[in-house]
Amino acid sequence: MSDTATTASVRHEPELLGQTVVVIGGSSGMGLETARRARAEGADVILTGRNPDRLEQAAQELGAQRTAAFDATDAAALKRFFQDLPTPIDHVMVTAGGPHYGPLLEMDSAQVSESLSNRVALGLEVARNAVGKMRPGGTLLFMGDAGGRRVVPGIGIASAASAALPRFAAALALEIAPVRANVIAPGFVDTPLSASVLENHIEERREELRAKLPIGRVVGPADVAALAVHIMTNTALTGATYDIDGGQQLVF
């Protein structure tokens, strides 16, 4: 066999070539890294975020097809965004939204209601507006929280909120088929947001995880991005939740 034939037989064909990936919350962290991975696999990417400057920087870095700066929890703005999108699109990843952390008795009823419904309500609005523009076999991909499902003092309603999202995605998967719905549930991921939350304690947390996690390192945005793109490309996956925490649930 010639060298040319051998090279051709092992050459990796882009898995998302000709597809369009929308990342809601795609200007930094896991969303940005997923968009970067999707671009490397041949996809056109559309990014949204709340910070226009950061969003523009991300778009220029990746060569994004288009961007839109708005708050994803604003239902009217979210609807306008999807109405204005060219069709068809293939995959939508939602990293915006998140649980509220803090002692339960320090939360008022409005905070409890918002925390319980935030991710599910956002996911429902995304589904309502996106599915009609998506190709069969595409996926709505929601960001959950593996760590939040473990009940420990001080994390407030986060455990309940994290437990709701997988069941929501499973029910949604039946309603929107043949479009798919899946959840990624990370533990600690070393992102700029994590660093800003932990501030001076970030390196201490990294060292603790390196010492305790079975994988011997900290999970990064690229790990989440690799899983996200796999879920996008494997059309047998729907209605499921995929933990990615480096074994954190096993040792903490």
Side-chain angles (χ1 to χ4, degrees), residues 12-224:
H12 173 74
E13 294 295 334
E15 294 189 286
L16 293 173
L17 189 64
Q19 298 187 32
T20 299
V21 175
V22 177
V23 183
I24 299 176
S27 62
S28 65
M30 294 177 283
L32 176 59
E33 197 61 37
T34 298
R36 181 179 289 112
R37 180 83 176 223
R39 282 290 290 149
E41 291 295 340
D44 290 324
V45 297
I46 298 171
L47 305 179
T48 85
R50 287 183 297 180
N51 186 308
D53 294 336
R54 192 166 62 192
L55 186 62
E56 182 60 28
Q57 181 179 350
Q60 290 181 2
E61 177 187 343
L62 300 184
Q65 182 187 88
R66 62 192 294 167
T67 64
F70 64 95
D71 183 346
T73 62
D74 181 336
L78 188 70
K79 181 178 182 178
R80 286 194 300 271
F81 165 71
F82 278 106
Q83 285 178 335
D84 292 342
L85 281 186
T87 53
I89 57 177
D90 296 276
H91 311 285
V92 180
M93 181 178 185
V94 184
T95 68
H100 178 89
Y101 294 98
L104 283 169
L105 296 182
E106 294 180 7
M107 301 177 68
D108 60 33
S109 58
Q111 288 175 319
V112 170
S113 178
E114 181 181 1
S115 296
L116 285 174
S117 65
N118 193 8
R119 280 177 168 165
V120 170
L122 175 56
L124 185 59
E125 287 302 315
V126 169
R128 196 190 317 275
N129 290 286
V131 167
K133 293 199 167 192
M134 296 178 68
R135 287 190 179 105
T139 188
L140 294 176
L141 189 52
F142 304 109
M143 193 61 60
D145 182 3
R149 293 206 300 272
R150 184 166 178 259
V151 180
V152 296
I155 68 170
I157 208 72
S159 293
S162 296
L165 190 59
R167 304 312 299 166
F168 162 74
L172 185 64
L174 295 177
E175 293 197 17
I176 66 174
V179 174
R180 301 175 291 125
N182 290 287
V183 176
I184 291 178
F188 178 89
V189 181
D190 198 350
T191 64
L193 178 60
S194 299
S196 68
V197 170
L198 292 176
E199 296 180 334
N200 295 333
H201 300 287
I202 182 63
E203 190 53 44
E204 178 183 340
R205 181 60 168 158
R206 289 167 177 155
E207 290 177 2
E208 178 186 30
L209 291 167
R210 292 185 192 109
K212 290 186 176 182
L213 290 182
I215 64 172
R217 64 177 181 85
V218 182
V219 176
D223 298 307
V224 177

